[in-house]
Amino acid sequence: MNDKKKFKRNFCIIAHIDHGKSTLADRLIEKTQTVSSRDMEDQLLDSMDLERERGITIKLTPVRMFYTRDGVEYELNLIDTPGHVDFTYEVSRSLRACDGAVLVVDAAQGVEAQTLANVYLAIDNDLEILPVINKIDLPSARPEEVRKEIEDVIGIDASDAPLVSAKEGIGIEEVLNMIVDKISPPKGDEDAPLKCLIFDSYYDNYKGAVCLVRVIDGKVAAGTKIKMMASGRVYDCVEVGIFNPKPLPVNELIAGDVGYIAASIKAISETAPGDTITDADRPCAEPCPGYKEVQPVVYSGIFPVDGSRYNDLKDALERLKLSDAALHFEPEVSAALGFGFRCGFLGLLHMEIIQERLEREYNLDLITTSPGVTYKVHRTDGTVDTVTNPCNLPPTTEIAYMEEPMVNAEIYTPPAYIGSIMELCQDKRGVFEDMQYLDASRVRMKYRMPLSEIVYDFFDRLKSRSRGYASLDYELADYEKSDMVKLDILLNGEICDALSIIIHRDKAQSRGRALAEKLKEVIPRQLFEIPIQAAIGGKIIARETVKAMRKDVLAKCYGGDVTRKKKLLEKQKEGKKRMRQFGSVEIPSEAFMSILKLDND
Amino acid sequence: MNKLGIYIHIPFCNAKCSYCDFVSSVCGDDVKAAYFSRLRSDILEFASSGKAQDKTVDSIYFGGGTPTSVAEKYIAQIMDLLRSGFNVASDCETTIEANPESLTSIKAECYASSGINRISIGLQSATDSLLSEIGRIHTVYDFIKAADIAQSRFNNVSADLMLALPGQTVRDVEKAINLLAGRQFNHISAYSLKVEEGTPLFSTGYQPDEDYAADLYSLTRSMLEQYGYKGYEVSNFALPGYECRHNMRYWMRGEYLGFGVAAHSFYDNERYCMTSDLKAYLSGEGITEKTFIQPDGEEAAEETAMLALRTSYGLDLEKYRQTFGRDLLKDRGELIEELTESGYVEINNGKLTLTDKGLYVMNEIIVRLVL
C-alpha cells in the first residue's frame, strides 16, 4: 500500500490569465492519454461556456492521469485553480490539496501581478514550485530574460525550468518528468482517523452537493458516516470516486488521494471549501488549518426589468446558489425598482459572471444597481452597524463616524503609463506606498486604496489609461475611518432609493451633478415637469429639470387609416411595460441601466 | 337614411416631396389609364352590388397623390360613375386636393361642372427656397395663381400648411397664415411634420425639435383663432360653417368607402384597406386586411375615444358609458382630475375635451385614459 503512495503526485498549475495554463493542462491530459483524442476538446477543464469564452477558469475540476516512465506507472492528480483575484480564497483551498505547483510564465509577457499573488499563496502553503516557460514559439518570446525575471522577481531557482510551447506540444514530456522528480509524494497515514480537506464542491442534479476532497489521513468509502467539522453536520457517504476527468466511482479513497465524496447533501452551502471531513465514529483530533467562511466583498441590487419576472429571478438565484456557495442574496424591495434581491459577491468579476449567467442561462433582463461595499457605521450611542445597502444607512445625526474597507493594490505597468496611473490612483483616493522597477519595461506600483473606489470603474479606467497594458491585483487589508456621505437622487421631490449611493464627501458634489445631468438626458419628457435633484444629507447640491412634454401627436390622418393610428398608440402603451413607475414619474429601465454605468473618464 | 362618405385615391404626382410617405409615384399616361380603368370597375362593381342602396353619400373626397396631376376627364368620369351608382345628396361635400402647379382654369372648370364643390390646395410653406428644399415644384406665386383660379370658381377653398419643416422659421409660418387668412380661405389644415422612415427626408437624419414644433403649433392656433377660424380638430381650422364634413366623418366613426390603391374603408363595422402596391393593384389584387369591429366592443370603445378626443367636440362621457359600459369618470377619475388641474383636459356639459395644450400631447393622454 505504501508503495502505491510513492507513485502519486498531487499538483496544480498556476499562471496569469492568458499565459496558457489551460492549454498546458490539455497537453498533459493528451500526453497521458487520459482522454481519447476523439473526446479531446480544447481547454477541457473549463467546463462552463463562460469560462471557455473568457479563457478563464472559474470552477475547479481535478483530473487523474497516469504517466509511465521506466516501466513505473505514476498517478498524477491535477487540481486546477481559478486564475482571478476574486477567487483567492478558493485558490488557497485548492493549493492546500496539492504538494507542488507548476508555475506557467509566458515567455513574452514575463512575470505578472497575478502570477506573483498566486506564487506567494503557493509558497505560503509549502508547495514545491516548478517554473515552466511557455509560449516559446512566439516571435516575441525572450525565454532567457524571463528565466532571469523569475529568479529576480519571485526569488526561486529557474535554471532548469523547461522551455515549453503548450500550443505546439513542445516540452510536455519534460514537464511530466519534472512533476514526477520534484514533487514529493503525499504524506499522510491511511490508518489514522479520516481527515479530508474539501477544496471545492459542485452540484449534481442526481447526487446533490458533491465535495471535491484531498484525503490527508485515513480512508473513506461508501457507507462511512462522515462529519463536516465546521458545521458538525453528519451524512452517510453514498459514493466516492475520482476524476478521469469525468467522475468515476471507486471503492475507496485513501490518504493522498484526490477525488469526490457524494453523500446526498442537499445544498452546496453545506459543503464549505476549506472545511474538513472526518469519520463521525472515529473523528480526527484537529481539522485542517485555515478554514474561513467566505464573505462577500461587493454588493449590488439585482432587479428584473420586467417586474412580473421576480419569481423567475428568485428561482434562478436559488439554482445558481446550489453550485456557487459564494453567492449571497436576500430579497430587497425598492420603491423605484420594485421587488428584487440584494446580492453579495466575491468581487467584480464574480458579480459580472453571476449577472451574465442569469441573463444567459435564465434569459432574464436585469437592472443592477451600483456596486457597493460593506461599511462599518459607528453610531453616536456607541454601537456599530455594518451597512451594505445605502438605504439602510442611519440618519446623519445618529452617525458618529464611518469606516470603509481598504485594499492593498499592486499595479504592474510599462513605465510609460506611470504618470497617468498615478493620477488615476490619486483621483481614486489611493495612497502611494511603493514603486519598483522589475526590469526596464515593467514597474510595480503599490497603493493603499478604498475598495469602494476599485469597484467603481477603476479597472476600466486603468485599462484605458494604459492601453490595456497595466494589470491590477488587490487584497483586502482592513477598515479605515473615512468621511463618507449618502448621496441621494430625488425625482419630483422624492428620494429614488435605487439611485442612492454611499460616497466620499469630496466626490459627492461632482458625482451628484453628473448623475442629475445624465438622468435629465435619459428620462423622457412626460406630461408633467420633473425636477431632478441630488442631495447630500438632505442638502440639495444639484438640480436639473426634465421639461414637460410638448408634442406627442399624430397630426395627419392618412385617408381614413385609423388602424395605423391604433397600432402606433398600442406600441406606445406597450413601451410603458418597460417603464418603472416612481410616484408620478415613469422611468425607462434603460435609464437606470445607463445611469448605473455612468463613467467619468 | 344612413350617411356615407366616399374616398378616391389618386396615387400620382408630378414630383415626389421629400417628406411624403403616401402611396404615390410619378407615372406615365398608360399606367394612369390602366389605373382609372380598374378604379372605375371597382366602383361599378360595388355600386351594382346594391349594398349601398339605402345610404346617402354626403361627402366625396379625391385625395392623393396629386389628383390635379391627372387629366381632368378621369375625374369627371369617376364623378359620373359615383352619381349614377350611389345616392349622392344634392348638398354632397365634394373635395379635390390640388397642387398649385397643376391646377389650371380648364381643370377647375371641368371639376366644377362635374359636381366638385370644394378644393384643397397644398401651400405647405410661404418661402420659395424652403418649398424647393422639400421637393415641392411650385413657388408661392404659383400658389397665388392657383388660389385665384380656385376662389373664383369655388365657394369652399382650403389650403394645407406644414409645420416644423427643416429650417422653417416663425416668419415663414406667419407669412403663410397671413396669406391664407388674408385671402379668406374657408378652411386651413396645419400638419406638423412627421418624418417617416423610408422618405428622403428621413435619410437626412432630420428630426423636428419638440419645443420648436410646439411653439409653431401654438403660434398657428392663436393666429388662426384671431382671424376667426375655429380649431375643430387638432390639425384642422375652419371659418364658421366650413368644417370639412368628410374629415369629421373619420373622427365620428361614420361610414366611408375607399376606392383605389391603399384606400381605407370603414363599412358595416369592418375596417379594410386595398393593397398599397400599385403594380399588384393593377394586376387585380384588392383588399388585403379586413377586421370586424364589434360595435359595442373594446376596440370600438378605444377608437371612439381616440378619434373623438382629436376634435373640439370631445367625448360625450355619458353616451360613452351607455354604449360601451365604460365609466371614465369612475375608472380614471384620479387621472382626469390630475389632467384637468394641469390644464390638459376640460369637461364641459358632460363632454371631455382636450385643451389647446392637451391636443398637442394627445397620444400620451389617450394611452393613459382609454388604452
Side-chain angles (χ1 to χ4, degrees), chain A residues 525 527-528 547 549-552 554-555 557-558 560-561 564-566 576, chain B residues 21 196 210-211 215 235 251 256 264 299 303 310 342 344 360-364:
Chain A
R525 292 167 73 164
L527 286 176
F528 311 94
K547 286 188 286 178
M549 152 200 296
R550 290 189 59 203
K551 185 186 174 204
D552 186 20
L554 307 167
C557 187
Y558 297 78
D561 185 358
R564 179 165 170 165
K565 278 192 195 310
K566 274 197 295 197
K576 288 192 183 289
Chain B
D21 185 37
E196 301 283 357
E210 173 172 354
D211 288 298
D215 285 343
S235 305
W251 316 133
Y256 49 93
H264 290 261
E299 206 173 350
E303 279 184 5
R310 299 180 68 87
S342 38
Y344 285 113
Y360 217 54
V361 291
M362 65 162 64
N363 288 357
E364 179 70 13

mmCIF file of all heavy atoms in Angstrom, chain A residues 525 527-528 547 549-552 554-555 557-558 560-561 564-566 576, chain B residues 21 196 210-211 215 235 251 256 264 299 303 310 342 344 360-364:
data_model
loop_
_atom_site.group_PDB
_atom_site.id
_atom_site.type_symbol
_atom_site.label_atom_id
_atom_site.label_comp_id
_atom_site.label_asym_id
_atom_site.label_seq_id
_atom_site.Cartn_x
_atom_site.Cartn_y
_atom_site.Cartn_z
ATOM 1 N N ARG A 525 -39.387 63.098 -21.662
ATOM 2 C CA ARG A 525 -40.306 64.137 -21.218
ATOM 3 C C ARG A 525 -41.691 63.530 -21.005
ATOM 4 O O ARG A 525 -42.121 62.657 -21.721
ATOM 5 C CB ARG A 525 -40.352 65.243 -22.263
ATOM 6 C CG ARG A 525 -39.030 65.992 -22.330
ATOM 7 C CD ARG A 525 -38.932 66.865 -23.548
ATOM 8 N NE ARG A 525 -39.780 68.049 -23.424
ATOM 9 C CZ ARG A 525 -39.629 69.116 -24.222
ATOM 10 N NH1 ARG A 525 -38.702 69.125 -25.159
ATOM 11 N NH2 ARG A 525 -40.416 70.158 -24.075
ATOM 12 N N LEU A 527 -45.896 64.273 -19.177
ATOM 13 C CA LEU A 527 -46.923 65.311 -19.136
ATOM 14 C C LEU A 527 -46.605 66.383 -18.102
ATOM 15 O O LEU A 527 -47.041 67.513 -18.215
ATOM 16 C CB LEU A 527 -48.293 64.690 -18.844
ATOM 17 C CG LEU A 527 -48.931 63.915 -20.001
ATOM 18 C CD1 LEU A 527 -50.231 63.279 -19.560
ATOM 19 C CD2 LEU A 527 -49.181 64.827 -21.201
ATOM 20 N N PHE A 528 -45.838 65.980 -17.084
ATOM 21 C CA PHE A 528 -45.542 66.934 -16.039
ATOM 22 C C PHE A 528 -44.034 67.186 -15.971
ATOM 23 O O PHE A 528 -43.244 66.300 -16.266
ATOM 24 C CB PHE A 528 -46.028 66.404 -14.685
ATOM 25 C CG PHE A 528 -47.435 65.907 -14.755
ATOM 26 C CD1 PHE A 528 -47.704 64.563 -14.989
ATOM 27 C CD2 PHE A 528 -48.485 66.799 -14.634
ATOM 28 C CE1 PHE A 528 -49.012 64.115 -15.089
ATOM 29 C CE2 PHE A 528 -49.790 66.347 -14.743
ATOM 30 C CZ PHE A 528 -50.065 65.011 -14.966
ATOM 31 N N LYS A 547 -38.221 68.920 -18.744
ATOM 32 C CA LYS A 547 -39.367 69.770 -19.071
ATOM 33 C C LYS A 547 -40.582 68.903 -19.428
ATOM 34 O O LYS A 547 -40.433 67.756 -19.841
ATOM 35 C CB LYS A 547 -39.022 70.682 -20.247
ATOM 36 C CG LYS A 547 -38.081 71.800 -19.846
ATOM 37 C CD LYS A 547 -37.906 72.804 -20.975
ATOM 38 C CE LYS A 547 -37.043 72.229 -22.066
ATOM 39 N NZ LYS A 547 -36.874 73.130 -23.216
ATOM 40 N N MET A 549 -43.505 67.386 -21.507
ATOM 41 C CA MET A 549 -43.610 67.025 -22.919
ATOM 42 C C MET A 549 -44.502 68.039 -23.626
ATOM 43 O O MET A 549 -45.450 68.562 -23.061
ATOM 44 C CB MET A 549 -44.235 65.632 -22.939
ATOM 45 C CG MET A 549 -45.029 65.272 -24.140
ATOM 46 S SD MET A 549 -46.129 63.901 -23.766
ATOM 47 C CE MET A 549 -44.998 62.595 -23.390
ATOM 48 N N ARG A 550 -44.165 68.365 -24.859
ATOM 49 C CA ARG A 550 -44.998 69.343 -25.555
ATOM 50 C C ARG A 550 -45.570 68.811 -26.856
ATOM 51 O O ARG A 550 -46.489 69.392 -27.427
ATOM 52 C CB ARG A 550 -44.212 70.627 -25.801
ATOM 53 C CG ARG A 550 -43.942 71.376 -24.510
ATOM 54 C CD ARG A 550 -43.353 72.733 -24.785
ATOM 55 N NE ARG A 550 -44.228 73.560 -25.598
ATOM 56 C CZ ARG A 550 -43.791 74.581 -26.323
ATOM 57 N NH1 ARG A 550 -42.513 74.876 -26.337
ATOM 58 N NH2 ARG A 550 -44.634 75.297 -27.042
ATOM 59 N N LYS A 551 -44.993 67.768 -27.378
ATOM 60 C CA LYS A 551 -45.520 67.260 -28.637
ATOM 61 C C LYS A 551 -45.561 65.741 -28.600
ATOM 62 O O LYS A 551 -44.543 65.090 -28.401
ATOM 63 C CB LYS A 551 -44.633 67.721 -29.784
ATOM 64 C CG LYS A 551 -45.200 67.312 -31.133
ATOM 65 C CD LYS A 551 -44.267 67.628 -32.269
ATOM 66 C CE LYS A 551 -44.838 67.065 -33.550
ATOM 67 N NZ LYS A 551 -43.802 66.830 -34.539
ATOM 68 N N ASP A 552 -46.735 65.207 -28.773
ATOM 69 C CA ASP A 552 -46.901 63.764 -28.836
ATOM 70 C C ASP A 552 -48.235 63.546 -29.535
ATOM 71 O O ASP A 552 -49.249 63.325 -28.915
ATOM 72 C CB ASP A 552 -46.906 63.173 -27.415
ATOM 73 C CG ASP A 552 -46.938 61.658 -27.449
ATOM 74 O OD1 ASP A 552 -46.585 61.085 -28.497
ATOM 75 O OD2 ASP A 552 -47.325 61.054 -26.438
ATOM 76 N N LEU A 554 -50.319 62.481 -33.441
ATOM 77 C CA LEU A 554 -50.318 62.021 -34.830
ATOM 78 C C LEU A 554 -51.167 63.017 -35.588
ATOM 79 O O LEU A 554 -52.389 62.983 -35.534
ATOM 80 C CB LEU A 554 -50.932 60.623 -34.920
ATOM 81 C CG LEU A 554 -50.291 59.613 -33.982
ATOM 82 C CD1 LEU A 554 -51.132 58.361 -33.901
ATOM 83 C CD2 LEU A 554 -48.898 59.278 -34.462
ATOM 84 N N ALA A 555 -50.494 63.931 -36.266
ATOM 85 C CA ALA A 555 -51.202 65.081 -36.793
ATOM 86 C C ALA A 555 -52.129 64.718 -37.936
ATOM 87 O O ALA A 555 -53.245 65.181 -38.028
ATOM 88 C CB ALA A 555 -50.203 66.133 -37.240
ATOM 89 N N CYS A 557 -54.269 62.280 -40.647
ATOM 90 C CA CYS A 557 -54.942 61.017 -40.844
ATOM 91 C C CYS A 557 -54.741 60.616 -42.292
ATOM 92 O O CYS A 557 -55.072 61.353 -43.208
ATOM 93 C CB CYS A 557 -56.429 61.174 -40.559
ATOM 94 S SG CYS A 557 -57.268 59.604 -40.588
ATOM 95 N N TYR A 558 -54.152 59.465 -42.504
ATOM 96 C CA TYR A 558 -53.819 59.067 -43.856
ATOM 97 C C TYR A 558 -55.035 58.473 -44.560
ATOM 98 O O TYR A 558 -55.227 57.264 -44.551
ATOM 99 C CB TYR A 558 -52.673 58.052 -43.823
ATOM 100 C CG TYR A 558 -51.402 58.637 -43.258
ATOM 101 C CD1 TYR A 558 -51.233 58.809 -41.894
ATOM 102 C CD2 TYR A 558 -50.377 59.037 -44.109
ATOM 103 C CE1 TYR A 558 -50.079 59.370 -41.382
ATOM 104 C CE2 TYR A 558 -49.222 59.595 -43.600
ATOM 105 C CZ TYR A 558 -49.076 59.760 -42.240
ATOM 106 O OH TYR A 558 -47.940 60.308 -41.749
ATOM 107 N N GLY A 560 -58.150 58.251 -43.850
ATOM 108 C CA GLY A 560 -59.034 57.422 -43.039
ATOM 109 C C GLY A 560 -58.384 56.177 -42.470
ATOM 110 O O GLY A 560 -59.059 55.241 -42.057
ATOM 111 N N ASP A 561 -57.048 56.159 -42.458
ATOM 112 C CA ASP A 561 -56.344 54.986 -41.934
ATOM 113 C C ASP A 561 -56.294 55.032 -40.413
ATOM 114 O O ASP A 561 -55.343 55.498 -39.813
ATOM 115 C CB ASP A 561 -54.934 54.929 -42.519
ATOM 116 C CG ASP A 561 -54.201 53.666 -42.097
ATOM 117 O OD1 ASP A 561 -54.784 52.876 -41.329
ATOM 118 O OD2 ASP A 561 -53.065 53.479 -42.534
ATOM 119 N N ARG A 564 -53.686 52.406 -38.542
ATOM 120 C CA ARG A 564 -52.306 52.829 -38.327
ATOM 121 C C ARG A 564 -52.166 53.614 -37.025
ATOM 122 O O ARG A 564 -51.218 53.428 -36.265
ATOM 123 C CB ARG A 564 -51.894 53.688 -39.518
ATOM 124 C CG ARG A 564 -50.485 54.230 -39.443
ATOM 125 C CD ARG A 564 -50.120 54.719 -40.819
ATOM 126 N NE ARG A 564 -48.895 55.462 -40.852
ATOM 127 C CZ ARG A 564 -48.257 55.711 -41.997
ATOM 128 N NH1 ARG A 564 -48.739 55.258 -43.126
ATOM 129 N NH2 ARG A 564 -47.154 56.404 -41.996
ATOM 130 N N LYS A 565 -53.117 54.484 -36.788
ATOM 131 C CA LYS A 565 -53.111 55.258 -35.551
ATOM 132 C C LYS A 565 -53.212 54.344 -34.340
ATOM 133 O O LYS A 565 -52.519 54.503 -33.349
ATOM 134 C CB LYS A 565 -54.298 56.210 -35.525
ATOM 135 C CG LYS A 565 -54.072 57.479 -36.299
ATOM 136 C CD LYS A 565 -55.178 58.461 -35.959
ATOM 137 C CE LYS A 565 -55.211 59.593 -36.972
ATOM 138 N NZ LYS A 565 -53.924 60.216 -37.228
ATOM 139 N N LYS A 566 -54.123 53.388 -34.453
ATOM 140 C CA LYS A 566 -54.326 52.471 -33.328
ATOM 141 C C LYS A 566 -53.042 51.716 -33.026
ATOM 142 O O LYS A 566 -52.641 51.548 -31.879
ATOM 143 C CB LYS A 566 -55.439 51.465 -33.661
ATOM 144 C CG LYS A 566 -56.812 51.994 -33.335
ATOM 145 C CD LYS A 566 -57.848 50.883 -33.272
ATOM 146 C CE LYS A 566 -58.048 50.222 -34.609
ATOM 147 N NZ LYS A 566 -59.289 49.446 -34.697
ATOM 148 N N LYS A 576 -44.732 51.215 -22.260
ATOM 149 C CA LYS A 576 -44.842 51.542 -20.847
ATOM 150 C C LYS A 576 -44.503 50.360 -19.957
ATOM 151 O O LYS A 576 -44.227 50.509 -18.780
ATOM 152 C CB LYS A 576 -46.250 52.054 -20.532
ATOM 153 C CG LYS A 576 -46.504 53.440 -21.089
ATOM 154 C CD LYS A 576 -47.779 54.025 -20.523
ATOM 155 C CE LYS A 576 -48.091 55.378 -21.110
ATOM 156 N NZ LYS A 576 -47.179 56.441 -20.656
ATOM 157 N N ASP B 21 -44.933 60.147 -47.459
ATOM 158 C CA ASP B 21 -44.980 58.726 -47.145
ATOM 159 C C ASP B 21 -46.257 58.103 -47.720
ATOM 160 O O ASP B 21 -46.589 56.973 -47.449
ATOM 161 C CB ASP B 21 -44.940 58.571 -45.617
ATOM 162 C CG ASP B 21 -44.875 57.125 -45.198
ATOM 163 O OD1 ASP B 21 -44.200 56.344 -45.895
ATOM 164 O OD2 ASP B 21 -45.504 56.772 -44.184
ATOM 165 N N GLU B 196 -41.173 60.246 -41.660
ATOM 166 C CA GLU B 196 -41.461 58.815 -41.748
ATOM 167 C C GLU B 196 -40.256 58.061 -42.291
ATOM 168 O O GLU B 196 -39.566 58.539 -43.186
ATOM 169 C CB GLU B 196 -42.660 58.573 -42.677
ATOM 170 C CG GLU B 196 -43.942 59.261 -42.253
ATOM 171 C CD GLU B 196 -44.639 58.561 -41.096
ATOM 172 O OE1 GLU B 196 -44.165 57.497 -40.652
ATOM 173 O OE2 GLU B 196 -45.677 59.084 -40.639
ATOM 174 N N GLU B 210 -38.788 69.201 -30.633
ATOM 175 C CA GLU B 210 -40.105 69.122 -29.997
ATOM 176 C C GLU B 210 -40.628 70.494 -29.584
ATOM 177 O O GLU B 210 -41.775 70.845 -29.850
ATOM 178 C CB GLU B 210 -40.003 68.193 -28.784
ATOM 179 C CG GLU B 210 -41.273 68.156 -27.949
ATOM 180 C CD GLU B 210 -41.240 67.087 -26.866
ATOM 181 O OE1 GLU B 210 -40.282 66.292 -26.834
ATOM 182 O OE2 GLU B 210 -42.164 67.071 -26.058
ATOM 183 N N ASP B 211 -39.779 71.272 -28.957
ATOM 184 C CA ASP B 211 -40.240 72.569 -28.458
ATOM 185 C C ASP B 211 -40.540 73.524 -29.599
ATOM 186 O O ASP B 211 -41.516 74.272 -29.558
ATOM 187 C CB ASP B 211 -39.180 73.170 -27.529
ATOM 188 C CG ASP B 211 -39.119 72.423 -26.223
ATOM 189 O OD1 ASP B 211 -40.133 72.420 -25.503
ATOM 190 O OD2 ASP B 211 -38.077 71.810 -25.934
ATOM 191 N N ASP B 215 -44.003 75.254 -30.411
ATOM 192 C CA ASP B 215 -44.127 76.709 -30.492
ATOM 193 C C ASP B 215 -44.837 77.115 -31.784
ATOM 194 O O ASP B 215 -45.729 77.965 -31.774
ATOM 195 C CB ASP B 215 -42.734 77.363 -30.462
ATOM 196 C CG ASP B 215 -42.131 77.339 -29.062
ATOM 197 O OD1 ASP B 215 -42.899 77.128 -28.095
ATOM 198 O OD2 ASP B 215 -40.908 77.529 -28.941
ATOM 199 N N SER B 235 -55.509 69.334 -36.272
ATOM 200 C CA SER B 235 -54.774 69.948 -37.383
ATOM 201 C C SER B 235 -55.668 70.773 -38.309
ATOM 202 O O SER B 235 -55.195 71.262 -39.320
ATOM 203 C CB SER B 235 -54.095 68.856 -38.221
ATOM 204 O OG SER B 235 -53.284 68.057 -37.414
ATOM 205 N N TRP B 251 -63.499 61.153 -37.717
ATOM 206 C CA TRP B 251 -63.389 61.289 -36.237
ATOM 207 C C TRP B 251 -64.646 60.802 -35.521
ATOM 208 O O TRP B 251 -64.587 60.419 -34.369
ATOM 209 C CB TRP B 251 -63.112 62.746 -35.860
ATOM 210 C CG TRP B 251 -62.084 63.419 -36.722
ATOM 211 C CD1 TRP B 251 -62.191 64.652 -37.287
ATOM 212 C CD2 TRP B 251 -60.814 62.898 -37.121
ATOM 213 N NE1 TRP B 251 -61.068 64.928 -38.026
ATOM 214 C CE2 TRP B 251 -60.205 63.868 -37.942
ATOM 215 C CE3 TRP B 251 -60.117 61.712 -36.889
ATOM 216 C CZ2 TRP B 251 -58.957 63.708 -38.526
ATOM 217 C CZ3 TRP B 251 -58.882 61.540 -37.473
ATOM 218 C CH2 TRP B 251 -58.307 62.517 -38.275
ATOM 219 N N TYR B 256 -67.366 55.094 -44.381
ATOM 220 C CA TYR B 256 -66.807 55.582 -45.643
ATOM 221 C C TYR B 256 -66.258 54.413 -46.443
ATOM 222 O O TYR B 256 -65.819 53.405 -45.894
ATOM 223 C CB TYR B 256 -65.721 56.634 -45.409
ATOM 224 C CG TYR B 256 -64.652 56.273 -44.402
ATOM 225 C CD1 TYR B 256 -63.456 55.666 -44.800
ATOM 226 C CD2 TYR B 256 -64.829 56.555 -43.044
ATOM 227 C CE1 TYR B 256 -62.475 55.350 -43.865
ATOM 228 C CE2 TYR B 256 -63.858 56.241 -42.112
ATOM 229 C CZ TYR B 256 -62.676 55.637 -42.529
ATOM 230 O OH TYR B 256 -61.724 55.317 -41.608
ATOM 231 N N HIS B 264 -58.620 53.247 -47.644
ATOM 232 C CA HIS B 264 -59.179 52.614 -46.444
ATOM 233 C C HIS B 264 -60.691 52.774 -46.407
ATOM 234 O O HIS B 264 -61.215 53.788 -46.866
ATOM 235 C CB HIS B 264 -58.583 53.249 -45.203
ATOM 236 C CG HIS B 264 -57.144 52.905 -45.031
ATOM 237 N ND1 HIS B 264 -56.710 51.907 -44.187
ATOM 238 C CD2 HIS B 264 -56.043 53.397 -45.636
ATOM 239 C CE1 HIS B 264 -55.410 51.813 -44.263
ATOM 240 N NE2 HIS B 264 -54.963 52.705 -45.138
ATOM 241 N N GLU B 299 -62.596 47.395 -28.830
ATOM 242 C CA GLU B 299 -61.879 48.106 -29.878
ATOM 243 C C GLU B 299 -62.654 49.338 -30.332
ATOM 244 O O GLU B 299 -62.079 50.412 -30.538
ATOM 245 C CB GLU B 299 -61.627 47.156 -31.062
ATOM 246 C CG GLU B 299 -60.428 47.569 -31.846
ATOM 247 C CD GLU B 299 -60.049 46.548 -32.918
ATOM 248 O OE1 GLU B 299 -60.610 45.439 -32.927
ATOM 249 O OE2 GLU B 299 -59.195 46.897 -33.732
ATOM 250 N N GLU B 303 -61.399 53.173 -30.197
ATOM 251 C CA GLU B 303 -61.442 54.026 -31.389
ATOM 252 C C GLU B 303 -62.262 55.279 -31.135
ATOM 253 O O GLU B 303 -61.848 56.390 -31.473
ATOM 254 C CB GLU B 303 -62.094 53.272 -32.555
ATOM 255 C CG GLU B 303 -61.171 52.326 -33.266
ATOM 256 C CD GLU B 303 -61.853 51.689 -34.482
ATOM 257 O OE1 GLU B 303 -63.001 52.083 -34.793
ATOM 258 O OE2 GLU B 303 -61.236 50.806 -35.098
ATOM 259 N N ARG B 310 -59.726 63.998 -30.634
ATOM 260 C CA ARG B 310 -58.991 64.859 -31.564
ATOM 261 C C ARG B 310 -59.771 66.137 -31.868
ATOM 262 O O ARG B 310 -59.214 67.112 -32.337
ATOM 263 C CB ARG B 310 -58.770 64.134 -32.901
ATOM 264 C CG ARG B 310 -57.973 62.877 -32.807
ATOM 265 C CD ARG B 310 -57.827 62.241 -34.178
ATOM 266 N NE ARG B 310 -56.988 63.050 -35.051
ATOM 267 C CZ ARG B 310 -55.662 62.939 -35.093
ATOM 268 N NH1 ARG B 310 -55.044 62.073 -34.322
ATOM 269 N NH2 ARG B 310 -54.967 63.700 -35.889
ATOM 270 N N SER B 342 -53.846 70.265 -14.345
ATOM 271 C CA SER B 342 -52.673 70.784 -15.040
ATOM 272 C C SER B 342 -53.023 71.323 -16.429
ATOM 273 O O SER B 342 -52.131 71.605 -17.222
ATOM 274 C CB SER B 342 -51.594 69.713 -15.111
ATOM 275 O OG SER B 342 -52.163 68.461 -15.335
ATOM 276 N N TYR B 344 -54.702 70.049 -19.090
ATOM 277 C CA TYR B 344 -54.654 69.259 -20.318
ATOM 278 C C TYR B 344 -56.047 68.918 -20.851
ATOM 279 O O TYR B 344 -56.230 68.746 -22.043
ATOM 280 C CB TYR B 344 -53.878 67.953 -20.102
ATOM 281 C CG TYR B 344 -52.391 68.135 -20.024
ATOM 282 C CD1 TYR B 344 -51.695 67.892 -18.849
ATOM 283 C CD2 TYR B 344 -51.656 68.538 -21.143
ATOM 284 C CE1 TYR B 344 -50.319 68.056 -18.774
ATOM 285 C CE2 TYR B 344 -50.288 68.711 -21.082
ATOM 286 C CZ TYR B 344 -49.617 68.459 -19.894
ATOM 287 O OH TYR B 344 -48.275 68.627 -19.842
ATOM 288 N N TYR B 360 -51.876 68.791 -28.326
ATOM 289 C CA TYR B 360 -50.592 68.504 -28.949
ATOM 290 C C TYR B 360 -49.826 67.379 -28.249
ATOM 291 O O TYR B 360 -48.796 66.931 -28.729
ATOM 292 C CB TYR B 360 -49.761 69.793 -28.990
ATOM 293 C CG TYR B 360 -48.937 69.907 -30.243
ATOM 294 C CD1 TYR B 360 -49.531 69.803 -31.501
ATOM 295 C CD2 TYR B 360 -47.565 70.120 -30.182
ATOM 296 C CE1 TYR B 360 -48.783 69.893 -32.653
ATOM 297 C CE2 TYR B 360 -46.802 70.223 -31.335
ATOM 298 C CZ TYR B 360 -47.421 70.107 -32.570
ATOM 299 O OH TYR B 360 -46.677 70.197 -33.705
ATOM 300 N N VAL B 361 -50.336 66.908 -27.111
ATOM 301 C CA VAL B 361 -49.721 65.747 -26.452
ATOM 302 C C VAL B 361 -50.774 64.656 -26.295
ATOM 303 O O VAL B 361 -50.780 63.894 -25.334
ATOM 304 C CB VAL B 361 -49.095 66.109 -25.079
ATOM 305 C CG1 VAL B 361 -47.873 66.978 -25.279
ATOM 306 C CG2 VAL B 361 -50.095 66.811 -24.177
ATOM 307 N N MET B 362 -51.680 64.585 -27.257
ATOM 308 C CA MET B 362 -52.848 63.717 -27.090
ATOM 309 C C MET B 362 -52.498 62.230 -27.007
ATOM 310 O O MET B 362 -53.182 61.480 -26.335
ATOM 311 C CB MET B 362 -53.847 63.957 -28.213
ATOM 312 C CG MET B 362 -53.335 63.584 -29.577
ATOM 313 S SD MET B 362 -54.711 63.412 -30.728
ATOM 314 C CE MET B 362 -55.368 65.053 -30.780
ATOM 315 N N ASN B 363 -51.449 61.811 -27.660
ATOM 316 C CA ASN B 363 -51.138 60.375 -27.630
ATOM 317 C C ASN B 363 -50.981 59.878 -26.198
ATOM 318 O O ASN B 363 -51.561 58.881 -25.801
ATOM 319 C CB ASN B 363 -49.840 60.078 -28.383
ATOM 320 C CG ASN B 363 -50.014 60.220 -29.878
ATOM 321 O OD1 ASN B 363 -51.109 60.476 -30.339
ATOM 322 N ND2 ASN B 363 -48.934 60.044 -30.607
ATOM 323 N N GLU B 364 -50.156 60.597 -25.456
ATOM 324 C CA GLU B 364 -49.886 60.201 -24.077
ATOM 325 C C GLU B 364 -51.181 60.199 -23.261
ATOM 326 O O GLU B 364 -51.437 59.291 -22.477
ATOM 327 C CB GLU B 364 -48.851 61.163 -23.484
ATOM 328 C CG GLU B 364 -48.488 60.895 -22.033
ATOM 329 C CD GLU B 364 -47.691 59.625 -21.827
ATOM 330 O OE1 GLU B 364 -47.184 59.055 -22.821
ATOM 331 O OE2 GLU B 364 -47.584 59.186 -20.663
#
